[in-house]
């Protein structure tokens, strides 16, 4: 990225390590990404002119809004130092980037599907048949690996409608809940690729701007680490502490502290999986814990 564009700004004189992060301007993963950036503390400082490049609270990090499919190439060519987009987009573009962190959302599977009443049951049945897809590169590679030569029909969206329109015999498209396939009376006959959203980095920038990139990486990762975790606090009689310790599987064991003016009591603090909290609080209460507090965690740095 060319950093000269901000060289007049006094606050940002040492800009050799300034970075640009490309994120989707729209689509399914756009909102979760904006939410993640907000929670990470980086925060997007929107301006009213809806420009494609906006600032963050860190003067050394700016955001570039782009289409999810374009982000891998922007990162590979250094237009952006970092990007957030789907693994499927990276594979489709075949871009030379580093996948730095799996953000865990935008999970879906690229599948090969045919109409429920179709006589095609396996990939080999599709020799010479028409396969429509928004992922021509992934589809070509998949069929090549299977030694099958279909006619690939690239489409820009609503791929599931194409078999019924008589445009294709099969599709290669994304499925997550499976609703769209069901609505279009299509069934999966093979899985092509698993995908989720990733933080990706330009190879050169990952070396030359390592410090700043590590900072952004850590900030985003800390939000991901905290997802599905809760902070549990309780007071316990010192004599019952061992029993409580047996019940709670802490992150690295519970933290045990003195309770002022109550030498017979200790305070136990622990990070636990949110889905286990319901059962845990009943168990620790039965084991004598009281003043139990359950709190959400915003960020967690290991
Ligand atoms: N149903 C889904 N479940 C989970 N992730 C999905 C789903 N559909 C798309 N994605 C992921 O979202 C990312 C961006 O795709 P999306 O379809 O949102 O972009 P787009 O096609 O540019 O936007 P739009 O569909 O609004 O035109 C991709 O990496 C894709 O894997
Ligand atoms: O299994 P499901 O939960 O039904 O999700 C799958 C659908 O989600 C995506 O569509 P999107 O909304 O992005 O529209 P598009 O096909 O026009 O890109 C994808 O292309 C599928 O059509
Ligand atoms: Mg889409």
């Amino acid at each position: 990225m060319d950093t000269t564009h901000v060289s007049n700004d006094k606050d940002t004189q040492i800009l050799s390590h300034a970075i640009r992060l490309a994120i989707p301007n729209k689509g399914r993963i756009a909102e979760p990404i904006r939410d993640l950036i907000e929670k990470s503390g980086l925060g997007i400082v929107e301006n009213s002119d809806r420009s494609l490049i906006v600032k963050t609270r860190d003067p050394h990090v700016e955001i570039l809004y782009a289409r999810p499919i374009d982000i891998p190439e922007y990162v590979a060519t250094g237009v952006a130092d970092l990007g957030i987009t789907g693994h499927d987009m990276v594979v489709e573009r075949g871009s030379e980037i580093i996948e730095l962190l799996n953000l865990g959302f935008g999970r879906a599977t690229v599948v090969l599907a045919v109409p429920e009443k179709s006589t095609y049951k396996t990939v080999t049945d599709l020799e010479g048949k028409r396969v429509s897809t928004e992922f021509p590169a992934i589809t070509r590679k998949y069929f090549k690996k299977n030694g099958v030569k279909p006619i690939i029909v690239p489409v820009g969206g609503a791929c599931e409608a194409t078999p019924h329109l008589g445009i294709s015999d099969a599709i290669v498209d994304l499925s997550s809940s499976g609703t769209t396939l069901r609505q279009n009376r299509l069934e999966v006959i093979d899985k092509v690729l698993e995908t989720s959203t990733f933080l990706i980095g330009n190879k050169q920038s990952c070396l030359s701007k390592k410090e700043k990139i590590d900072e952004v990486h850590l900030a985003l990762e800390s939000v991901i680490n905290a997802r599905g975790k809760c902070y549990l606090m309780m007071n316990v009689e010192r004599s019952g502490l061992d029993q409580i310790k047996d019940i709670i599987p802490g992150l690295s064991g519970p933290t045990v502290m003195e309770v002022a003016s109550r030498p017979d009591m200790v305070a136990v603090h622990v990070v636990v999986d949110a889905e286990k909290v319901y059962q845990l609080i009943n168990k620790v209460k039965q084991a004598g814990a009281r003043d139990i507090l359950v709190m959400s965690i915003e960020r967690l740095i290991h």
Side-chain angles (χ1 to χ4, degrees):
M1 160 194 164
D2 177 10
T3 53
T4 54
H5 64 288
V6 270
S7 61
N8 294 333
D9 188 338
K10 269 202 182 132
D11 295 336
T12 52
Q13 282 303 307
I14 28 157
L15 282 177
S16 57
H17 295 295
I19 57 167
R20 186 180 285 167
L21 167 64
I23 65 169
N25 56 345
K26 64 182 192 76
R28 288 214 182 212
I29 55 174
E31 203 42 48
I33 291 170
R34 289 169 58 83
D35 182 55
L36 172 67
I37 291 174
E38 195 52 45
K39 290 206 169 98
S40 75
L42 194 56
I44 299 171
V45 183
E46 297 288 2
N47 45 16
S48 51
D49 61 1
R50 303 187 113 236
S51 57
L52 288 181
I53 295 179
V54 296
K55 291 181 179 179
T56 66
R57 286 191 207 116
D58 181 340
H60 297 109
V61 181
E62 66 179 19
I63 302 284
L64 166 68
Y65 285 117
R67 290 282 315 274
I69 188 66
D70 295 330
I71 291 175
E73 262 326 88
Y74 286 170
V75 173
T77 54
V79 169
D81 304 288
L82 289 175
I84 303 180
T85 191
H87 173 67
D88 52 347
M89 303 283 130
V90 172
V91 179
E92 179 60 24
R93 281 293 154 104
S95 305
E96 290 273 317
I97 50 84
I98 302 174
E99 286 190 329
L100 295 168
L101 177 67
N102 187 348
L103 299 173
F105 53 85
R107 280 183 202 279
T109 310
V110 179
V111 298
L112 172 63
V114 294
E116 282 164 6
K117 290 185 181 134
S118 168
T119 54
Y120 311 128
K121 298 291 174 207
T122 65
V123 56
T124 44
D125 295 339
L126 294 166
E127 180 70 39
K129 304 293 178 230
R130 298 158 307 164
V131 179
S132 65
T133 184
E134 283 183 60
F135 301 96
I138 290 173
T139 304
R140 249 175 237 119
K141 204 165 145 195
Y142 163 77
F143 278 102
K144 194 169 177 205
K145 193 184 82 194
N146 284 283
V148 176
K149 289 198 190 86
I151 300 158
I152 293 176
V153 183
V155 293
C159 189
E160 292 91 344
T162 58
H164 307 293
L165 298 172
I167 298 167
S168 68
D169 303 296
I171 65 162
V172 169
D173 199 10
L174 278 169
S175 174
S176 50
S177 68
T179 309
T180 316
L181 288 178
R182 265 195 307 279
Q183 278 169 349
N184 288 281
R185 299 182 310 280
L186 297 167
E187 65 177 356
V188 175
I189 59 169
D190 201 3
K191 287 182 179 174
V192 176
L193 181 80
E194 302 285 348
T195 183
S196 62
T197 307
F198 273 75
L199 172 69
I200 62 174
N202 171 274
K203 284 186 171 175
Q204 182 57 39
S205 304
C206 284
L207 297 172
S208 62
K209 300 177 182 178
K210 184 175 184 315
E211 217 170 299
K212 198 74 213 170
I213 285 182
D214 283 353
E215 235 178 82
V216 174
H217 183 295
L218 183 74
L220 299 179
E221 191 174 37
S222 68
V223 180
I224 302 299
N225 288 342
R227 291 218 163 128
K229 301 279 184 199
C230 275
Y231 196 65
L232 204 56
M233 292 174 17
M234 67 199 84
N235 289 334
V236 178
E237 274 185 30
R238 202 178 284 275
S239 57
L241 182 59
D242 284 345
Q243 201 188 341
I244 296 287
K245 276 185 174 171
D246 286 344
I247 298 169
I248 42 180
L251 195 61
S252 39
T255 306
V256 179
M257 284 163 286
E258 301 293 324
V259 176
S261 74
R262 286 297 302 267
D264 56 326
M265 302 285 287
V266 284
V268 176
H269 292 197
V270 70
V271 176
V272 294
D273 289 339
E275 60 186 24
K276 294 190 182 133
V277 163
Y278 176 78
Q279 284 189 327
L280 275 178
I281 50 176
N282 282 304
K283 282 189 187 167
V284 292
K285 190 156 190 310
Q286 277 166 19
R290 51 185 120 124
D291 309 324
I292 304 167
L293 276 181
V294 182
M295 290 185 295
S296 60
I297 302 175
E298 274 183 32
R299 298 175 59 182
L300 178 60
I301 296 129
H302 291 301

